[in-house]
Amino acid sequence: MTTPDVSVVIVSYNTSELTRRCLRLLLDSRTPDVSFDVTVVDNASHDGSADHIAAAFPEVRLIRLTENVGWGRAVNRGATASEGSHLLLLNPDAAPVGHPVAALFEFARAHPEHGIYTGRTLHPDGTDDMYSCWGLPTVWSNFCFATGLSTVFPGRAWANPELLPGYDRRTVREVPAVSGCSMLIERGLFNRLGGFDPIFFLYSDDIDLCTRAAALGARPVVVPSASVIHVGGASSSSEGQRIKILRGKATYARRHWSRPRAGLAIALMKTGVAWRGLAKAIVGRDRSRGVDWPKVWQERRTWAAGWPELDEPRPPQSALTPANSPS
């Protein structure tokens, strides 16, 4: 069997209907010039996802995990099971528009120096949902969260640098990091990085990967000719999900920054949550789409500790950013 150009990896967790829609549109998007296979890694779903996918798409490689190991570790399993020269990570709630696999691969083939590629992630009305690419976390971005500047001035790049407001996703441009919602990465680079750092259960794993890739010379880039409609682009409103996001951010800080810098960043995260929780308690509402900030504050010890260490090995030493190589 000929090795495909691209191996698509989709991680499914209780998303039976969305995953099947994604697969249907993905398989319909095939082109004669770019070949791809598809692997679905089911993270121990309890909604029948694995059985539904197996019955509807027998041509798709299906890996059934017996426990939910998190997104990055599941992607690593799917990558190991596939052989394409490039890996395309695709969320199950992403609906391909046109021919995104071909668009990303053809751009990567013409511009291999970038190593990591993404397209546009769209609302159903075709406008950008602003989640395809990111700025890297900094002490300043955490200060903006702590002081509320990122909430008061969400469209200003200086106040909300991680969201990259003002970036025109309709043009080809290099970016600090891309979202795992739709990420094409050259397999050799993925292997050099050791895949996703298994400590990240959810969130900031894609930022971590891009940070480590940049240390090896990668230049992540947005390819506007590749698009998906991202149903879950605004799904981070619940306090449970917000806690996971903060756990990912705390883990990233500890992985990449010195202990004093990481401690300052986490203290700023706590400050931002504290005043949002106070505002919620006093006023009864805030500007954060219904997040129960008092509940997030109550769970601060959990998220400030980050994700726990695992028995799996960390990515190879060469894949760590020089500033954070363990001493």
Side-chain angles (χ1 to χ4, degrees):
M1 181 179 295
T2 304
T3 301
D5 297 314
V6 179
S7 287
V8 182
V9 177
I10 299 171
V11 177
S12 176
Y13 180 65
N14 295 329
T15 52
S16 176
E17 184 175 346
L18 287 173
T19 303
R20 282 178 286 149
R21 185 194 66 158
C22 175
L23 288 170
R24 183 170 59 253
L25 294 172
L26 178 67
L27 295 174
D28 287 345
S29 75
R30 292 185 184 276
T31 63
D33 299 328
V34 177
S35 60
F36 65 85
D37 64 3
V38 183
T39 299
V40 174
V41 183
D42 185 73
N43 247 335
S45 298
H46 48 75
D47 68 343
S49 290
D51 289 339
H52 296 157
I53 292 164
F57 301 98
E59 69 270 45
V60 168
R61 181 185 296 109
L62 177 63
I63 300 175
R64 301 172 185 250
L65 301 184
T66 57
E67 62 175 321
N68 183 359
V69 300
W71 185 79
R73 293 173 73 193
V75 169
N76 291 347
R77 305 277 183 94
T80 300
S82 60
E83 298 180 341
S85 66
H86 288 69
L87 293 165
L88 175 60
L89 319 179
L90 194 64
N91 271 14
D93 60 359
V97 178
H99 308 283
V101 181
L104 285 170
F105 177 74
E106 288 169 352
F107 185 95
R109 183 161 51 187
H111 304 279
E113 67 275 11
H114 292 287
I116 297 179
Y117 312 81
T118 192
R120 297 171 65 195
T121 53
L122 308 175
H123 293 297
D125 65 2
T127 58
D128 281 282
D129 72 359
M130 307 296 286
Y131 291 116
S132 66
C133 55
W134 306 99
L136 298 182
T138 62
V139 171
W140 172 253
S141 68
N142 282 285
F143 174 81
C144 291
F145 173 75
T147 57
L149 290 171
S150 59
T151 299
V152 176
F153 303 105
R156 302 294 180 89
W158 60 267
N160 206 2
E162 292 184 35
L163 191 59
L164 299 180
Y167 267 51
D168 187 355
R169 275 78 169 173
R170 296 170 299 177
T171 60
V172 174
R173 64 184 308 158
E174 293 182 14
V175 292
V178 307
S179 170
C181 171
S182 176
M183 174 195 291
L184 183 78
I185 180 168
E186 192 269 326
R187 182 179 290 274
L189 174 60
F190 187 83
N191 291 341
R192 288 175 66 199
L193 293 168
F196 284 94
D197 188 335
I199 192 175
F200 290 90
F201 187 83
L202 275 176
Y203 299 113
S204 293
D205 34 23
D206 45 8
I207 309 296
D208 168 81
L209 185 84
C210 290
T211 300
R212 294 187 287 117
L216 298 181
R219 291 152 44 198
V221 64
V222 174
V223 182
S225 57
S227 298
V228 298
I229 294 174
H230 188 200
V231 175
S235 62
S236 58
S237 60
S238 74
E239 59 274 10
Q241 196 159 10
R242 183 62 57 175
I243 288 167
K244 293 183 178 71
I245 290 171
L246 290 168
R247 290 188 83 166
K249 286 181 173 291
T251 302
Y252 178 94
R254 288 198 170 93
R255 277 296 204 239
H256 291 277
W257 298 345
S258 66
R259 183 173 296 179
R261 186 182 177 193
L264 174 59
I266 293 169
L268 290 169
M269 292 180 207
K270 289 181 179 178
T271 301
V273 171
W275 82 257
R276 285 169 173 82
L278 183 62
K280 181 87 171 183
I282 295 175
V283 181
R285 61 183 178 84
D286 57 32
R287 302 175 64 178
S288 302
R289 296 197 296 266
V291 177
D292 187 347
W293 288 108
K295 175 65 174 176
V296 177
W297 172 251
Q298 292 170 12
E299 296 292 329
R300 63 191 179 279
R301 287 199 175 102
T302 296
W303 56 257
W307 295 112
E309 292 284 351
L310 301 170
D311 292 333
E312 295 187 24
R314 291 182 64 176
Q317 189 75 11
S318 61
L320 294 172
T321 51
N324 193 56
S325 296
S327 56

